[in-house]
Every structure is written in structure tokens, then in C-alpha cells.
Amino acid sequence: MGTISLVISPILSLPNLNSTCSYGFSRSNHRFPTLIQNKVTKKVRVFAELKNQSCSSIDFSDPDWKTKFQQDLEQRFRLPHINDNFEDAVPIPSTFCLKMRTPLTGHFPGNYSLDEEWHGYINNNDRVLLKTIYYSSPTSAGAECIDPGCTWVEQWVHRAGPREKIYFKPEEVKAAIVTCGGLCPGLNDVIRQIVITLEIYGVKRTVGIPFGYRGFSDIELTEVLLSRKVVQNIHLSGGSLLGVSRGAPSVSEIVDSLEARGINMLFVLGGNGTHAGANAIHNECRNRRLKVAVVGVPKTIDNDILLMDKTFGFDTAVEEAQRAINSAYIEAHSAYHGIGIVKLMGRSSGFIAMQSSLSSGQVDICLIPEVPFNIHGPHGVLNHLKYLLETKGSAVVCIAEGAGQNLVQKTNATDASGNIVLGDIGVRLQQETRKYFKEIGIHADVKYIDPTYMIRACRANASDAILCTVLGQNAVHGAFAGFSGITVGIINTHYAYLPIPQVISHPRLVDPNSRMWHRCLTSTGQPDFI
């Protein structure tokens, strides 16, 4: 087995642009001239949320193509289960029933009893609708079409929640929680809810693995005992009780550690790379015939996980970004020919920059990775800034950290997770802005704000706290139901379980033809910068 860092490298591939299975990317965007189609093509791959489908293999002349498509989708979204490896695994009545609230005793299963009249369980056949908009034309804004006629096809995924039958005896469970990658608001909220829900099931042994996957192999790092008493108030602080880190030992080492520690439930909090690692751990456990449930909770402040409405920490990031944008506005508005530049997080996805700009109403220019732009030239950013100073007297620019990487010096450096180290587009834009206005003889007072760590280190706001609470609870429900190699997310306001491979093939990015991006452009009033 290779190291996790190799396993979790981004799986990016271009879709068949000649396919009629467009999902909203088969047409070119009318906002970009033909001469830059080569740049747009590099971005177009991200607008297919189900990109890994072999759409080109669909025979639309087959009258049963729709049924076959749905059958294929059902198979791809089938949830891996303990029964796949242990056919003789016998389910037992769930120990989770909120109708009985008497305290647990030392003798399992305590005073919990199965109440068949309690209608709080989820039926295994419950489903959540993946797509809710019927696009009547492939030219509709943000259209995601399968065939040339944009036929409506129902696409269902598994509903999350507690099941009436469980596949682990709580007294035999040793659960572990690990947080990987960078910090994100809400990590402590998820940890807290996982621990509390495990205790409601009757689990007595829950541990935290310190500092990400590194904690499985570093002998200097010992597991942290977790209980309701320990985690009761951790959600009142930002960061992670367990710490985070990037990089990892090999998959074999991690599974060896799981086996040696007697861990049979692993909850992994992280983004695309972390989830790819969790999926590799799940597969290795299956290969070794270990009865271990590996469940992910998607954590990314960038909101770039496929298929999901949003990921935890995103709402808080957008809210915190308002402070930086407002500061930039005040600085710019209070100065003669003031320009405020704010760089926000977003390696490959511009959701934070877009939503923050839309929310603030103070941004004149929003620049995101998905939409190419020029700094110089008659249609460049600087020329528009000159126009804004002449007409408004000030300007505010919001730029995502991954935007305009073709305009900064590239390096081959990578971080511990294998991510390419980005060039600092914020500093580059600041320098070019000062240089440009000095050369044309116009005074410009340029202020630059980078609130990156302030945004991700704070505690979750109310909206994210609720999301984290429900995600943590459903992660435990999924593990006890016997699922493994899955993650939990919110889809069309409902919580669902998804096989990890279906959400990690590539990042979810902003579609430049989406209504939300159009709304942002309407708010800022910015032109094309090409």
C-alpha cells in the first residue's frame, strides 16, 4: 500500500465535451470570447457533478435508456455495508430510542428497550431526491442535462438517520474520531455530537486520534479519551480539540494501528483528500476482513464537496468575511481614490468569495478561480479600477486565493497533503495596482487585507452549529447501521448518505453560467475581464 498522500491526490479528468450528457457544461459560456476557450475548457470539467458517469455510453435511441440510467445510478450510489464481507452478520434491535430517557446503568443494554411504537427510525428504503429542478432546455441558466432533450430523470440517494436494526453491539464498540487537513469552524461541534450520540447508543469507549492521520503512527502521540464530560463545552471554542495536520503514514500502517487498538468505528472529519484516505482505509479493512465501519463527515471551508448543498464552516466563513470586506470598504471609502483588496480562502472553488461579495453589497469586483481574467489591458481589472475611481472615487475588490494562478509565478512545491502551493495572487494584484496607478499618474491609496486564519479559526455560528450537530449524529447512525466507506451530507435540505467515491472525484466549483454567479455579477456590476 502507498502512503495516504498518494492515495488522496485529486482525481481530475476531463469529461467528453462532445457528449450530449452535458450537466450544464456542453455549451460554451457566452460571456467569454472564442479566443479564450482554451482557458475555459480547463475549468469546464468541474461543472459536471456526476462527471464520473460514462454519459457517452448511453444509447439515447434505446427506449429503455432512462431506466438503465437510473439502474446504473442506483448501483453507483449503493452504500457499502458490513454484510458485504460478513454475510452472517446478525442485526440486533437498536439501542437508540429517544422515547426512553432513563439513565444507562453499568449493565448493558441498560434501561433502553426497543419500542416498536416509536416512529423515529429511518426505513432503509427511504430516499432523498438528488436533483430537484426540471430544466426544460439545455440553455437554461445552470442547466444540468443528461440527453439532448433535457429529459427529467429522477435520481435518488439514501436518506440518513437511525435504523431500527444495528450491526454493532455497543458494549463491544471502540470508536475513534480523527480531524485532518486545515482548521474549520465547527470541528469541535461535530466531535461533541459524535461522542454524545455514541453514548446514547451505549458506547463506553470513545477516543480521539491527535493531529490527523499522523496520530496513528507517531508513538509520541497518544489517543485522547473522550466522554460527554470532556466534550460538553468544546463547541464554545474554535479549532479542534484533537488538533489537525496534513500528510499521513501509509494506509497499511493506519489499519495496523486500528487493529492493534481494537477500533471498530472510525469517524473521519476532512475534505476531499481526507475522504480519499478514509475510502482507502475502508477498502483495506474490507481486504483484511475486519469488521470496521469507516464514516466520513465532510469538512471544507471552501464548500467544494460534490453533490452537497453546503459543508460545515462555510456559513461561518462567509459571515466572518463580512468584517474584512467592511474594513476594506471603510478604508477605501475614507481615502482619496481608495482601493480595498480582500483575499479570501478558496483554492479551486470561489464559493466564499462569491457569497461574501453577494452578502456584503460593498464589493465592486469579485474574482474567482473558475472565471479567467486579465489584470492589464483594455478589458483588464486595472482599467476597470481606474473607471471606478473616476466615477465612484473608491473601489473594493474581493479575490479568492486560487484565482488568477496563471498570472503568478508557478512553483512545483506541494504541501504535506500533496496540494500545489499557490502563488499569492492577492499580493500580486496589490503590487500591480500600485504600479499601474503610479505609472499613469493617478493617486491611488491601496489597502490589502488577508483574513484567512481569522476566518477559519473562529467558532461556528448558529447555522453551522446546527449543521454540525446533525452531521455528527447521522455519522454515528450510519456506522451503527453497518455502513462503511460512506459520508454524510445535506442534499436539498435533507440529510443523506453517499458512497465516498461519488463525492471525491473532483472539487465542486462555481458554474459561471449558474444563477448564483449571475446574481453576484448583478450585485458588483463588473464587466468581463478578458
Side-chain angles (χ1 to χ4, degrees), residues 376-420:
H376 298 280
H379 301 289
V381 173
L382 296 177
N383 191 62
H384 187 58
L385 280 175
K386 177 174 174 288
Y387 167 77
L388 291 171
L389 293 188
E390 293 171 346
T391 57
K392 290 182 57 182
S394 63
V396 176
V397 181
C398 180
I399 185 167
E401 61 178 326
Q405 288 301 298
N406 60 310
L407 305 174
V408 295
Q409 185 174 358
K410 297 184 183 300
T411 68
N412 294 322
T414 59
D415 62 19
S417 295
N419 299 314
I420 296 174

Side-chain angles (χ1 to χ4, degrees), residues 169-188:
K169 294 180 179 179
E171 75 274 21
E172 298 176 357
V173 168
K174 182 179 180 182
I177 306 170
V178 61
T179 56
C180 306
L183 289 180
C184 178
L187 282 170
N188 282 335

Side-chain angles (χ1 to χ4, degrees), residues 337 386 389-390 434 436-444:
H337 282 182
K386 177 174 174 288
L389 293 188
E390 293 171 346
R434 287 174 173 167
Y436 169 77
F437 283 103
K438 183 177 181 180
E439 289 177 348
I440 64 176
I442 296 178
H443 174 80

Side-chain angles (χ1 to χ4, degrees), residues 23 25 66 72 100 105 130 162 166 245 258 297 311 319 360 369-370 429 447-448 452 494 514:
Y23 289 103
F25 61 79
K66 183 175 175 181
D72 175 69
M100 304 295 293
T105 64
L130 193 60
I166 58 176
S245 71
L258 289 175
V297 180
T311 51
E319 186 174 304
S360 74
E370 297 87 342
L429 182 60
K447 296 294 194 302
Y448 176 60
T452 298
H494 297 282
S514 67

Side-chain angles (χ1 to χ4, degrees), residues 275-392:
H275 271 67
N279 194 58
I281 294 169
H282 156 73
N283 288 330
E284 179 68 4
C285 287
R286 294 187 68 169
N287 291 339
R288 298 191 189 186
R289 290 189 60 81
L290 299 177
K291 189 179 178 182
V292 178
V294 182
V295 178
V297 180
K299 175 234 67 174
T300 166
I301 204 169
D302 292 344
N303 199 34
D304 62 353
I305 301 291
L306 284 177
L307 307 177
M308 299 178 187
D309 293 359
K310 63 179 178 180
T311 51
F312 74 82
F314 175 69
D315 276 355
T316 305
V318 171
E319 186 174 304
E320 286 296 309
Q322 301 307 301
R323 297 165 58 192
I325 292 174
N326 188 55
S327 296
Y329 171 79
I330 292 173
E331 288 285 352
H333 191 67
S334 301
Y336 175 66
H337 282 182
I339 298 175
I341 300 174
V342 179
K343 186 183 79 172
L344 298 177
M345 298 181 73
R347 288 185 57 86
S348 56
S349 304
F351 287 102
I352 293 180
M354 176 180 68
Q355 299 278 45
S356 297
S357 298
L358 191 59
S359 174
S360 74
Q362 298 171 319
V363 174
D364 300 291
I365 298 173
C366 178
L367 304 172
I368 61 175
E370 297 87 342
V371 179
F373 62 91
N374 288 329
I375 294 178
H376 298 280
H379 301 289
V381 173
L382 296 177
N383 191 62
H384 187 58
L385 280 175
K386 177 174 174 288
Y387 167 77
L388 291 171
L389 293 188
E390 293 171 346
T391 57
K392 290 182 57 182

Side-chain angles (χ1 to χ4, degrees), residues 444-513:
D445 190 340
V446 183
K447 296 294 194 302
Y448 176 60
I449 299 175
D450 181 356
T452 298
Y453 297 104
M454 293 173 61
I455 285 176
R456 76 178 199 174
C458 60
R459 63 174 289 192
N461 65 9
S463 175
D464 271 330
I466 294 171
L467 176 59
C468 292
T469 295
V470 183
L471 289 176
Q473 292 175 355
N474 279 320
V476 176
H477 295 321
F480 266 103
F483 299 124
S484 181
I486 67 165
T487 191
V488 57
I490 185 170
I491 297 176
N492 296 319
T493 72
H494 297 282
Y495 293 86
Y497 294 134
L498 301 166
I500 290 177
Q502 294 303 318
V503 299
I504 63 171
S505 59
H506 62 285
R508 169 184 177 237
L509 302 191
V510 175
D511 180 354
N513 193 48

